[in-house]
Amino acid sequence: MDNIRLILIFTLLFILLLIYQQWQLDYGPKPVSTAPVAMNPLSANGNPVTNTANELPPSILDKSHQATATALPDVPSTQSILPRQTAITVETDVLKLEINSVGGDIRQIALPKYPVSLEEANKPFQLLNDTLPNLFVAQSGLLPADYAPSHQTVYQSTETQYHLADGEQTLNVVLTWHNAQGIQVEKIYTFTRGSYVVQVKHHVKNNSDAPWQVRQYAQFQRTQVAEAGQSSFIHTYMGGAIASPNSRYEKLTFANINDDKLNQEKRPSWANGWAAMIQHYFVSAWVPDKEQLFNYYTNVIKQGQRYVLGFYGQLETIAPKTEHEFNLQFYAGPKIQDHLGALAPGLELTVDYGWFWFISQPLFWLLSLLHSFFGNWGWAIIILTLMIKLAFFHLSATSYKSMANMRRVQPRLMSIKERYGDDRAKMNQALMDLYKKEKINPLGGCLPILVQIPVFIALYWVLLESVELRQADFILWLNDLSRPDPFFVLPLIMGATMLLQQKLNPAPIDPMQQKVMMALPLVFTVFFAFFPSGLVLYWVVNNSLSIAQQWVITKKVVGEVKLD
């Protein structure tokens, strides 16, 4: 009976998790309807004239050098609320992107190595995009914006198309800006073959006769739109994150940004940090110089309901007739832990394994090692499940022995129930006397299972979050372990294994509990029909191994196994 209660508790917790995830989708912060909005006119140096202050970092800020604005005609852009001028396209072996001359911003990024789906194998996944409703751009520049080139300033470029040629390892894209006082800024993007990391440099030449004071900043702007294709039964995190000085990793949800969280904390500053926008399988991150202090901020732009997350650096004084460089690193691509961890401390934690990340990371390491031997993620999952089962073999054996003993005395349990009827006090006392006489621990089947639960949850998140399993082929019809089984074969097998496990367990004394337990395989089959097939594969293998172990132990203890 205690084992049945434990299973019911686990089932309830699982259902509560699904309800919570659905609640997040239904009642969490909602994206606002974003119809195209007329753009602001640009000033003489390319900066919008009005209503743009909240697109910039919160103003600490140097109020000198106020500029006199004259209007420049806008260049219309279909479904875009950001000013646009010349589009500069860049293509490497792993990135296809567009930089706009307004701000030198990265407006679009597609990932050729990661197709949208197997059905659209020639269509790369679009990570950044400057059109509504799913606007998501990366911006950087210098402050104060009234006399330094910010993301609202128009740059010049000698070319509009760049391509990393065969045999070349790096590609530089140079944008330039200068003013009448003799200040020149080169914004240089450096791309490397095979890398999702982009070096971003602002090279300042002060050819004037006066010192020039500026600071560097970088930020993301994005709207909140649900990820296409995400199952209603599985909710993965989408939002901001920073490397907090108090911990290695801190999420900043869209609700946090709405609450102006970082600015309420008086714009904290720290070194060796980063700011990122996360979604399932992919991440975009700004990583500043590790040795310098940067202030982190959030903001909300009501026009289009855009959320802003970024940082700005300390004020630098550039002496006359000297030069200075501001350096950043930008990452846009899959959440590959080795690459992210090498780029910045804690950035690999954007692979969101939840509370048991310290268990998930070794499990993923082992799963990757198995994949390197077998060359197939499906077989790697099967072997890893077998290894976990072997690691907990003795604990599982203890649990199954307890259940087998409960099964052995099942007729006597039913006799006690019939004898005492509704007198629960006498019935419970009689049950305890029987357990004591037969040396049965009624909790013996529960405690070993409890020890294993963190490992199972950790592996669940490994299989759900790892981009390596995205569109990973297994066998036959299972050609994408990150998507549900198209023919529901694995969920049906999983339901059958659950039913067989129930038959091996001692039947509940309470008829109502018996009915509930009989319904559970059907309920879980329906749930798992919408789960990624890699997760269902794990449960099928785990259940099959558990059935084999439990069958052997039950036969040894009881002598004969009859399915109830």
Side-chain angles (χ1 to χ4, degrees):
M1 183 182 301
D2 292 279
N3 288 321
I4 300 303
R5 287 175 180 171
L6 183 65
I7 294 172
L8 290 174
I9 291 171
F10 290 159
T11 303
L12 177 61
L13 291 174
F14 180 74
I15 293 173
L16 287 175
L17 173 63
L18 295 177
I19 292 173
Y20 170 75
Q21 293 175 340
Q22 189 62 44
W23 183 90
Q24 290 282 4
L25 295 176
D26 292 340
Y27 298 102
K30 296 290 186 181
V32 176
S33 176
T34 51
V37 181
M39 294 175 289
N40 295 318
L42 304 179
S43 71
N45 70 343
N47 293 349
V49 174
T50 58
N51 299 325
T52 60
N54 61 349
E55 290 193 20
L56 294 165
S59 182
I60 31 173
L61 265 179
D62 327 70
K63 295 298 184 181
S64 57
H65 303 88
Q66 294 296 323
T68 302
T70 58
L72 184 73
D74 225 0
V75 178
S77 170
T78 304
Q79 290 189 313
S80 177
I81 58 176
L82 298 176
R84 300 184 73 181
Q85 297 255 324
T86 305
I88 302 162
T89 59
V90 184
E91 186 171 353
T92 73
D93 57 328
V94 296
L95 294 171
K96 292 180 67 176
L97 67 154
E98 180 186 303
I99 300 170
N100 201 269
S101 61
V102 177
D105 297 342
I106 301 177
R107 298 293 186 89
Q108 298 187 32
I109 289 183
L111 307 176
K113 300 288 187 183
Y114 292 85
V116 170
S117 65
L118 293 174
E119 294 75 20
E120 298 178 281
N122 295 323
K123 184 179 180 181
F125 179 80
Q126 190 80 21
L127 182 56
L128 267 63
N129 184 41
D130 67 342
T131 58
L132 296 172
N134 192 14
L135 183 143
F136 180 21
V137 296
Q139 302 171 320
S140 60
L142 302 177
L143 297 172
D146 52 9
Y147 72 89
S150 70
H151 69 270
Q152 299 170 340
T153 301
V154 176
Y155 284 84
Q156 304 299 318
S157 176
T158 57
E159 300 180 43
T160 58
Q161 293 184 339
Y162 292 83
H163 180 79
L164 182 63
D166 293 340
E168 293 184 347
Q169 295 302 310
T170 60
L171 174 65
N172 289 328
V173 176
V174 181
L175 310 174
T176 59
W177 171 91
H178 64 274
N179 64 14
Q181 288 73 41
I183 305 296
Q184 179 178 323
V185 177
E186 290 182 332
K187 187 171 186 177
I188 305 171
Y189 288 97
T190 301
F191 302 87
T192 304
R193 181 175 296 278
S195 177
Y196 294 96
V197 179
V198 182
Q199 306 294 331
V200 184
K201 179 191 302 182
H202 287 83
H203 184 191
V204 180
K205 297 179 181 179
N206 184 0
N207 297 321
S208 71
D209 296 324
W212 203 59
Q213 288 190 319
V214 290
R215 68 181 79 230
Q216 182 185 36
Y217 76 97
Q219 65 183 29
F220 293 105
Q221 281 193 40
R222 82 174 305 170
T223 53
Q224 182 187 3
V225 179
E227 288 188 66
Q230 188 175 84
S231 169
S232 298
F233 289 86
I234 299 176
H235 176 69
T236 56
Y237 179 71
M238 181 179 185
I242 57 173
S244 169
N246 301 319
S247 61
R248 296 179 64 196
Y249 168 63
E250 179 183 350
K251 293 179 182 177
L252 287 172
T253 66
F254 293 113
N256 292 148
I257 297 174
N258 261 323
D259 295 338
D260 201 24
K261 178 179 179 180
L262 286 180
N263 297 330
Q264 290 174 0
E265 297 173 358
K266 298 181 181 179
R267 305 187 192 109
S269 65
W270 59 88
N272 203 21
W274 46 264
M277 282 288 183
I278 307 172
Q279 60 196 73
H280 197 200
Y281 295 134
F282 301 100
V283 61
S284 300
W286 281 114
V287 181
D289 188 297
K290 296 180 180 180
E291 304 301 324
Q292 297 183 18
L293 292 175
F294 282 82
N295 293 70
Y296 290 74
Y297 62 89
T298 57
N299 207 349
V300 178
I301 304 169
K302 297 302 181 182
Q303 185 190 35
Q305 195 64 22
R306 290 168 280 163
Y307 297 87
V308 178
L309 171 62
F311 51 74
Y312 57 83
Q314 304 302 303
L315 197 63
E316 298 284 347
T317 301
I318 304 171
K321 311 303 179 183
T322 63
E323 301 179 7
H324 185 80
E325 284 186 355
F326 297 92
N327 292 289
L328 292 167
Q329 294 186 93
F330 175 69
Y331 183 94
K335 291 194 282 190
I336 300 175
Q337 294 183 58
D338 291 343
H339 296 180
L340 297 174
L343 182 59
L347 191 55
E348 73 279 3
L349 296 180
T350 57
V351 182
D352 188 15
Y353 288 150
W355 292 342
F356 297 111
W357 60 268
F358 53 91
I359 302 176
S360 296
Q361 286 185 336
L363 287 176
F364 175 75
W365 176 84
L366 183 55
L367 184 67
S368 299
L369 182 64
L370 292 170
H371 175 261
S372 68
F373 282 104
F374 295 99
N376 184 295
W377 287 104
W379 291 114
I381 291 172
I382 291 173
I383 301 302
L384 178 63
T385 308
L386 176 60
M387 294 174 70
I388 293 174
K389 200 66 184 173
L390 289 173
F392 288 108
F393 180 85
H394 292 293
L395 280 175
S396 299
T398 301
S399 176
Y400 296 145
K401 285 179 183 177
S402 177
M403 284 188 275
N405 283 319
M406 293 289 289
R407 185 185 181 94
R408 178 171 54 81
V409 300
Q410 185 76 5
R412 297 163 69 180
L413 295 176
M414 298 300 295
S415 175
I416 290 173
K417 181 179 183 300
E418 293 173 0
R419 185 185 315 162
Y420 293 103
D422 296 330
D423 192 340
R424 299 192 65 85
K426 291 184 178 180
M427 183 179 70
N428 289 335
Q429 183 59 49
L431 290 174
M432 295 306 297
D433 292 341
L434 177 61
Y435 293 152
K436 185 176 181 179
K437 180 180 179 181
E438 296 293 333
K439 297 181 179 180
I440 296 174
N441 180 3
L443 296 179
C446 306
L447 296 179
I449 296 176
L450 286 173
V451 175
Q452 301 176 51
I453 288 175
V455 176
F456 294 152
I457 295 175
L459 184 57
Y460 167 89
W461 283 109
V462 166
L463 299 179
L464 180 63
E465 269 288 302
S466 299
V467 68
E468 288 80 0
L469 269 70
R470 183 181 185 268
Q471 299 177 8
D473 188 22
F474 180 32
I475 57 172
L476 302 176
W477 73 99
L478 295 172
N479 55 8
D480 186 352
L481 290 172
S482 68
R483 296 175 62 182
D485 185 336
F487 301 111
F488 306 110
V489 176
L490 279 179
L492 289 173
I493 296 175
M494 192 277 303
T497 58
M498 283 193 66
L499 183 62
L500 185 55
Q501 270 191 303
Q502 282 191 11
K503 296 294 184 180
L504 289 173
N505 292 334
I509 298 178
D510 187 356
M512 181 58 68
Q513 287 186 359
Q514 291 181 16
K515 293 179 181 179
V516 172
M517 294 302 296
M518 288 300 296
L520 284 182
L522 177 61
V523 172
F524 273 80
T525 299
V526 173
F527 279 149
F528 276 75
F530 300 95
F531 276 37
S533 54
L535 289 172
V536 187
L537 176 64
Y538 158 71
W539 282 106
V540 167
V541 175
N542 183 70
N543 283 359
S544 300
L545 294 172
S546 298
I547 288 170
Q549 185 182 12
Q550 188 172 359
W551 181 282
V552 171
I553 291 174
T554 301
K555 187 173 182 179
K556 183 177 180 181
V557 173
V558 179
E560 182 181 5
V561 182
K562 292 182 180 180
L563 299 180
D564 293 331

